Amino acid sequence: MSEELELEKLRDEIAKVTLEIFNLCRERIELSKKIALVKSRRMLPIEDLEVEESLKRRLLSFCRENNLDEEFCTKLFNLLICESKRVQNNVMKTIRQT
């Protein structure tokens, strides 16, 4: 296989993996919406630092076991948490308005 073909194949694979990541992000957002509904019914706050810290510890352990850069993983984790809170906040605002 020529290097040009190999590069094209690798780029196709990375595009496929990237789309899979975004599909998982979509699933995570849908779960965040469901969590917001439960929190709203139970009058719970959006933020739960114990849950976040527990998940972060699991994430960092996963990173170490799989030789992933912890700084990168932490940044991605923080982005996901931030988006989850944004989504939950929007859901709860919509519920309050009805």
Side-chain angles (χ1 to χ4, degrees):
M1 178 183 309
S2 74
E3 286 189 359
E4 187 66 32
L5 244 47
E6 181 182 12
L7 182 59
E8 187 176 325
K9 182 179 178 191
L10 291 169
R11 285 178 174 160
D12 285 345
E13 287 180 41
I14 206 164
K16 193 181 299 181
V17 169
T18 300
L19 292 174
E20 288 176 31
I21 291 168
F22 277 90
N23 187 49
L24 289 171
C25 287
R26 181 191 54 76
E27 288 180 31
R28 193 178 197 288
I29 288 168
E30 291 305 314
L31 289 169
S32 293
K33 290 176 183 177
K34 291 177 181 179
I35 287 171
L37 294 173
V38 173
K39 286 180 177 179
S40 179
R41 286 194 302 266
R42 297 186 61 208
M43 303 293 285
L44 296 172
I46 290 171
E47 191 170 67
D48 188 331
L49 295 178
E50 282 185 38
V51 172
E52 290 179 35
E53 282 303 314
S54 174
L55 182 54
K56 188 174 184 177
R57 283 191 300 275
R58 289 173 59 190
L59 166 77
L60 291 174
S61 176
F62 177 86
C63 290
R64 286 188 286 276
E65 291 168 9
N66 291 280
N67 199 30
L68 291 167
D69 182 76
E70 289 183 28
E71 184 179 347
F72 165 74
C73 293
T74 299
K75 287 179 183 178
L76 185 54
F77 172 77
N78 290 336
L79 184 62
L80 292 170
I81 292 295
C82 187
E83 179 62 8
S84 182
K85 290 177 185 179
R86 186 193 68 77
V87 166
Q88 289 182 38
N89 191 37
N90 286 344
V91 169
M92 289 182 161
K93 279 183 184 176
T94 301
I95 289 171
R96 281 186 232 124
Q97 292 173 352
T98 56

